[in-house]
Amino acid sequence: MENPVYVTRPNLPPLEKLHPYLEEIWKNKILTNNGPFHKKFEKELANYLGVEQINLFANATLALVVGLQAMRITGEVITTPFSFVATTHALKWNGITPVFCDIEEKTLNIDPEKIEALITPKTTAILPVHVYGHPCNTEKIQDIADKYGLKVIYDAAHAFGIKMKNKNLLLEGDMSVLSFHGTKLFTTFEGGAIICKDEKLKKRIDYLKNFGFADELTVIAPGINAKMNEFQSVIGLLSLEIVEEEIANRKKVAETYFELLNSVKGIRVFNNFEDYAHNYSYFPVLIDEKVFGVSREKVYDELKKNNIYSRRYFYPLISNMPSYRSLPSAAKENLPVANKIGEQVLCLPIYGNLDFFHVKSISKIIKDLRG
Ligand code: T4K
């Protein structure tokens, strides 16, 4: 490939649309602290996502940290090792012990059948991730949470724009956290949001993300600075106008991959989206070396030699990282599925304006490697 092909590229609004907004910011000189564009974006985003209220954040990691604190989560939290490090780091930053639960083959999300065995008197919550935008089994997770009096916080960093048939995925559990990072389907450069259903909780989150200020003189808790600024909010407003088109374009890319890779023995693609409209935020494939004849590493290297930068999201597993591997729940024998998937997974490039020539070339390079 003449130019590098990355795992993702942001979909940016037309530059000329930004200028009037910047002029407005330059005129009114409000740059941050719940300014007019922040308010507008909060409203329009809530409307787009079909939720009542939303708290905007500087990024999803801070949103997770603040969200857990706002809900007063302590002790142990059951979570998945198959995610981006930020999921577990947010627990650590709150002094909470992560307890890793294995994942299910079908969705690569936390396996609800394995949660109960990990509950102890110290467990206060479950922190699942809708990995790659594959929805978790929220009914089963909620049943367990209700039975044991646990809170559920969804890391929904990959789940923007998922449309379920009978429910709003972002309203499942007690809280959902979205990411608007530059590598995400919907971006504000850096950014994130919390969606919760309780108005009092929303208020507490707003205080905590602004140093704990409830009014000019009252600080209710040692909060942090995690606010989204006016520039990010403007990008968010403009990105809302183009996100549906981005999803539709990504769908076409994904369908081409499906067509070209679906029947390759030893390669698993994820195209079983019967119950929901997917957002195509990632395109993970699983490479079973024994059947395919070639390792995931070899495929990754071969693509790289061709100037194509796939990513091994999420390898190594969080549970195998130095900060976490000494935890009893991190032992490999407790997490057989996650460890297997971690060795097999490769995320192929996907974004709205990825050239079909590239999709075909990537698929051909992979197929030609077959042992
Ligand atoms: N929970 C989950 C489940 C998450 O996946 C994440 C973030 C979080 C929580 C935390 O969300 P934030 O606090 O970030 O809002 C990336 C992202 O930094 C991270 O946001 C994301 N997950 C994770 C899955 O991936 P890297 O280290 O792989 O990114 P990087 O810089 O190598 O970018 C990958 C490719 O994307 C580049 O090769 C080119 C392209 N790219 C990237 C950037 C940053 C662009 O074209 N433009 C850009 O601005 O971590």
Side-chain angles (χ1 to χ4, degrees), residues 12-153:
L12 294 173
L15 194 52
E16 61 274 13
K17 284 208 165 189
L18 190 61
H19 290 148
Y21 284 96
L22 293 182
E23 276 165 18
E24 183 79 18
I25 293 176
W26 258 246
K27 199 172 76 195
N28 69 26
K29 297 196 166 41
I30 301 294
L31 310 181
T32 186
N33 287 4
N34 200 21
F37 289 122
H38 182 286
K39 286 196 181 103
K40 190 165 157 53
F41 180 39
E42 214 176 61
K43 218 170 173 183
E44 289 194 16
L45 184 61
N47 194 29
Y48 175 82
L49 296 172
V51 302
E52 294 273 309
Q53 58 211 5
I54 209 158
N55 302 85
L56 299 175
F57 272 83
N59 60 61
T61 306
L62 283 168
L64 280 166
V65 170
V66 170
L68 288 161
Q69 202 162 112
M71 292 184 64
R72 299 182 167 87
I73 305 297
T74 56
E76 294 175 2
V77 168
I78 299 171
T79 190
T80 168
F82 192 69
S83 182
F84 188 59
V85 284
T87 310
T88 314
H89 284 354
L91 296 171
K92 271 284 193 190
W93 275 72
N94 278 299
I96 296 164
T97 305
V99 175
F100 295 112
C101 178
D102 207 4
I103 59 171
E104 51 179 21
E105 298 259 4
K106 189 173 168 226
T107 61
L108 311 184
N109 291 325
I110 197 165
D111 186 343
E113 302 298 336
K114 296 183 181 159
I115 293 176
E116 269 189 277
L118 299 170
I119 295 173
T120 75
K122 289 187 185 154
T123 311
T124 56
I126 308 169
L127 174 56
V129 179
H130 303 297
V131 78
Y132 310 130
H134 302 164
C136 290
N137 188 334
T138 55
E139 284 83 11
K140 277 199 182 155
I141 291 171
Q142 195 58 53
D143 283 351
I144 298 165
D146 291 345
K147 190 167 157 191
Y148 292 90
L150 306 176
K151 299 288 183 198
V152 184
I153 294 113

